Amino acid sequence: MEGILLRRYGGFYYVESGGQVWTCRLRGRFRREADLLPGDRVEMVPLGPGEGVIEAVKPRRTILERPAVANVEQAIIVFSLSTPPPDLELLDRLLFLSSVKDIQAVIVWNKVDVGREEYLDLPAIYRQIGYPVLIASARTGQGVEKLKEILAGRLSTFAGPSGVGKSSLLNALHPELNLRTGEVSAKSGRGRHTTRHAELIRLPGGGWVADTPGFSRLDLPPLDRLEVAGHFPEMEPLIGRCRFNSCLHRGEPGCAVTAAVEAGEIPGHRYEHYLNFLDEVIARERSY
């Protein structure tokens, strides 16, 4: 039988197959070699009522390390328009990584009902760049129906820092979940982790979501330095229009990207983050 891995806990793997959830272990030698993740498609053999053994895992379409989920089709990247304040470098890092992994990214700006004036222009900035953007409030229900449509029929992961309302949005989508939610610390301004293990959740409207722990930093994967700009949608059309083919867009003469930054066509914070990511990629190249 083929199934999808929902979660793993200790030495047990919970697989949905044939309309039910099976508690499984791994077979023999496969147990020492396998590193299964939620989202993996597996082959299992029933051993008894509700119990089985996993014997193989299908090739993965995609893999995310943090959050650790396989075969994700889209990333629902949740940030707050209130508290915690939006960390735009983390947002751009998540968008960049989604592009590198060939995963569709959707930005959900939550807590619009208590949004702060200084953050309310952010959705328009990212929509103009070309990212799908949804403005939502888990508390009032704004945007929840549209989010259901975005999730239907696809395997998605929720990503973003703690305290932005990922679990609250999932509860709004599927009230029976009753996932734990955490308040933002008044002292630190950061959220408390409320999700301890990655797992897949089937939604009533169809599709899967992975509820995953919050995080604050993601390392960039190995890349060629010339590839970095291609993962910034506002820069990608300008590649090839610079004076030099090897232009890294950091002060070279005749650079189309820096000209666009100076003209206000590329947001300054996005260009700053591009330079930061480029430096990281170059430093990693040199460490090999």
Side-chain angles (χ1 to χ4, degrees), residues 5 13 44 50 58 84 96 101 126 181 189 202 218 227 278:
L5 179 62
Y13 297 79
M44 58 158 288
K58 300 282 190 178
F96 182 86
K101 296 288 187 178
Y126 280 86
T181 59
R202 180 180 283 282
L218 290 170
E227 295 179 299
L278 179 64

Side-chain angles (χ1 to χ4, degrees), residues 269-280:
H269 77 274
R270 291 277 294 174
Y271 180 63
E272 178 183 339
H273 298 160
Y274 161 76
L275 294 177
N276 292 344
F277 299 167
L278 179 64
D279 286 343
E280 286 185 40

Side-chain angles (χ1 to χ4, degrees), residues 161-172:
S162 296
V164 295
K166 298 188 298 296
S167 293
S168 295
L169 281 169
L170 282 168
N171 284 336

Side-chain angles (χ1 to χ4, degrees), residues 53-129:
V53 61
I54 296 172
E55 297 198 326
V57 59
K58 300 282 190 178
R60 291 165 172 161
R61 175 188 174 274
T62 60
I63 179 172
L64 294 178
E65 290 77 22
R66 291 181 63 187
V69 186
N71 299 317
V72 169
E73 298 171 79
Q74 64 182 357
I76 308 301
I77 300 175
V78 184
F79 274 74
S80 169
L81 290 172
S82 179
T83 54
D87 179 345
L88 296 184
E89 182 163 2
L90 176 58
L91 171 58
D92 289 341
R93 187 177 292 266
L94 289 166
L95 293 169
F96 182 86
L97 286 168
S98 297
S99 177
V100 170
K101 296 288 187 178
D102 194 25
I103 293 171
Q104 172 69 50
V106 178
I107 307 172
V108 175
W109 294 100
N110 193 28
K111 303 188 183 181
V112 66
D113 56 310
V114 289
R116 293 186 177 179
E117 186 72 25
E118 62 266 36
Y119 306 143
L120 295 182
D121 61 341
L122 290 172
I125 290 173
Y126 280 86
R127 185 179 286 117
Q128 185 173 5
I129 290 171

Side-chain angles (χ1 to χ4, degrees), residues 18-243:
Q20 72 175 95
V21 177
W22 302 75
T23 302
C24 299
R25 290 188 178 272
L26 302 183
R27 173 80 76 185
R29 181 181 175 186
F30 182 62
R31 181 168 57 242
R32 296 190 297 273
E33 298 175 349
D35 183 18
L36 272 62
L37 297 175
D40 272 326
R41 292 284 178 175
V42 300
E43 294 180 1
M44 58 158 288
V45 174
L47 294 181
E51 297 183 354
V53 61
I54 296 172
E55 297 198 326
V57 59
K58 300 282 190 178
R60 291 165 172 161
R61 175 188 174 274
T62 60
I63 179 172
L64 294 178
E65 290 77 22
R66 291 181 63 187
V69 186
N71 299 317
V72 169
E73 298 171 79
Q74 64 182 357
I76 308 301
I77 300 175
V78 184
F79 274 74
S80 169
L81 290 172
S82 179
T83 54
D87 179 345
L88 296 184
E89 182 163 2
L90 176 58
L91 171 58
D92 289 341
R93 187 177 292 266
L94 289 166
L95 293 169
F96 182 86
L97 286 168
S98 297
S99 177
V100 170
K101 296 288 187 178
D102 194 25
I103 293 171
Q104 172 69 50
V106 178
I107 307 172
V108 175
W109 294 100
N110 193 28
K111 303 188 183 181
V112 66
D113 56 310
V114 289
R116 293 186 177 179
E117 186 72 25
E118 62 266 36
Y119 306 143
L120 295 182
D121 61 341
L122 290 172
I125 290 173
Y126 280 86
R127 185 179 286 117
Q128 185 173 5
I129 290 171
Y131 292 109
V133 168
L134 177 64
I135 299 174
S137 169
R139 181 178 300 174
T140 68
Q142 180 176 341
V144 171
E145 288 302 316
K146 181 62 177 179
L147 184 55
K148 285 181 182 178
E149 296 175 12
I150 292 171
L151 294 169
R154 308 187 75 182
L155 174 52
S156 310
T157 182
F158 274 43
S162 296
V164 295
K166 298 188 298 296
S167 293
S168 295
L169 281 169
L170 282 168
N171 284 336
L173 289 163
H174 190 359
E176 291 81 4
L177 287 174
N178 196 29
L179 296 173
R180 292 180 61 211
T181 59
E183 297 178 353
V184 175
S185 167
K187 181 177 180 181
S188 69
R190 301 177 63 183
R192 302 183 183 95
H193 297 326
T194 57
T195 312
R196 302 187 181 280
H197 303 281
E199 63 177 280
L200 291 191
I201 300 165
R202 180 180 283 282
L203 296 174
W208 298 90
V209 295
D211 188 35
T212 55
F215 46 78
S216 59
R217 182 171 178 83
L218 290 170
D219 294 326
L220 301 182
L223 281 177
D224 185 287
R225 63 185 69 185
L226 292 174
E227 295 179 299
V228 176
H231 296 289
F232 282 75
E234 65 271 51
M235 297 183 191
E236 195 274 337
L238 301 174
I239 296 173
R241 292 169 57 182
C242 300
R243 182 182 302 176

